[in-house]
């Protein structure tokens, strides 16, 4: 193992990529059109009372200012069938929701079918954090789909699946 004092964005991105995380799609209906972003920085359990989750969004995001206009934001923790979906929603061009199976709540939260977890949230607070903002979301509803869908994992700049141990 070697230590590095290289704190340039590319080196940090590679180093931070060694931490595995789930991937959240944060989506809402704005003027009748689904809008959304994906975040691998999503964290649950920030607070139980009140129920809060959080993620970090780049200050340069053009989509987040649109998504946050909605009263409710759907958080879908992507499942193993979503690796292409993640890239599609993160795309800067084209119809980012073409062909996707969506569920929309009465409040305008947009949720992706086959996600391992659904949360319906609203923005609680945004805190400047360098070249990002940390966004605290208040949870209003949740659904786990009775563990029907395993989560997609992001690690070392690639998508992974949890491996279940084989029992003899």
């Amino acid at each position: 193992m070697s230590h590095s004092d290289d704190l340039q964005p590319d080196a940090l991105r590679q180093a931070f990529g060694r931490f595995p995380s789930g991937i959240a799609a944060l989506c809402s209906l704005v003027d009748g059109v689904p809008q959304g972003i994906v975040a691998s920085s999503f964290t649950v359990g920030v607070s139980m009372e009140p129920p809060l989750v959080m993620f970090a969004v780049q200050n340069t995001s053009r989509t987040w200012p649109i998504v946050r206009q909605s009263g409710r934001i759907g958080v879908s923790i992507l499942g193993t069938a979503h690796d292409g979906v993640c890239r599609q929603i993160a795309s800067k061009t084209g119809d980012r929701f073409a062909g996707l199976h969506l569920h929309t709540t009465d409040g305008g939260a947009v949720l992706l079918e086959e996600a391992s977890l659904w949360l319906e949230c609203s923005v609680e607070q945004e805190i400047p954090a360098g070249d990002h903002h940390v966004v605290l979301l208040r949870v209003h509803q949740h659904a786990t789909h009775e563990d029907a869908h395993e989560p997609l994992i992001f690690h070392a700049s690639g998508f992974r699946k949890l491996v279940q141990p084989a029992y003899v």
Side-chain angles (χ1 to χ4, degrees), residues 19-104:
F19 182 78
S21 65
I23 306 159
L26 298 103
C27 305
S28 61
L29 204 58
V30 179
D31 297 328
V33 177
Q35 300 284 344
I37 62 172
V38 293
S40 62
S41 60
F42 188 80
T43 302
V44 298
V46 173
S47 171
M48 300 299 171
E49 196 58 46
L52 298 175
V53 296
M54 71 178 190
F55 74 102
V57 62
Q58 290 180 342
N59 294 337
T60 57
S61 172
R62 294 176 304 175
T63 307
W64 174 242
I66 297 168
V67 171
R68 66 188 283 232
Q69 292 175 31
S70 177
R72 295 291 172 100
I73 297 168
V75 177
S76 301
I77 302 303
L78 300 185
T80 55
H82 288 138
D83 57 342
V85 171
C86 181
R87 288 184 185 94
Q88 182 176 338
I89 293 174
S91 173
K92 295 189 184 326
T93 60
D95 182 350
R96 300 181 323 171
F97 291 88
L100 300 184
H101 300 287
L102 306 174
H103 173 79
T104 304

Side-chain angles (χ1 to χ4, degrees), residues 19-23 78-80 151-155 158-162:
F19 182 78
S21 65
I23 306 159
L78 300 185
T80 55
L152 184 65
I153 306 299
F154 190 68
H155 181 254
F159 297 110
R160 316 286 177 162
K161 297 177 183 179
L162 294 176

Side-chain angles (χ1 to χ4, degrees), residues 112-162:
L112 296 167
E113 295 291 336
E114 299 185 17
S116 66
L117 172 65
W118 280 352
L119 301 171
E120 184 174 351
C121 302
S122 62
V123 175
E124 181 81 4
Q125 186 177 3
E126 290 188 59
I127 304 154
D131 58 3
H132 282 65
H133 270 70
V134 172
V135 181
L136 293 172
L137 298 173
R138 181 179 291 250
V139 177
H140 299 282
Q141 293 184 28
H142 60 86
T144 61
H145 313 291
E146 300 186 21
D147 298 325
H149 308 290
E150 288 290 321
L152 184 65
I153 306 299
F154 190 68
H155 181 254
S157 299
F159 297 110
R160 316 286 177 162
K161 297 177 183 179
L162 294 176

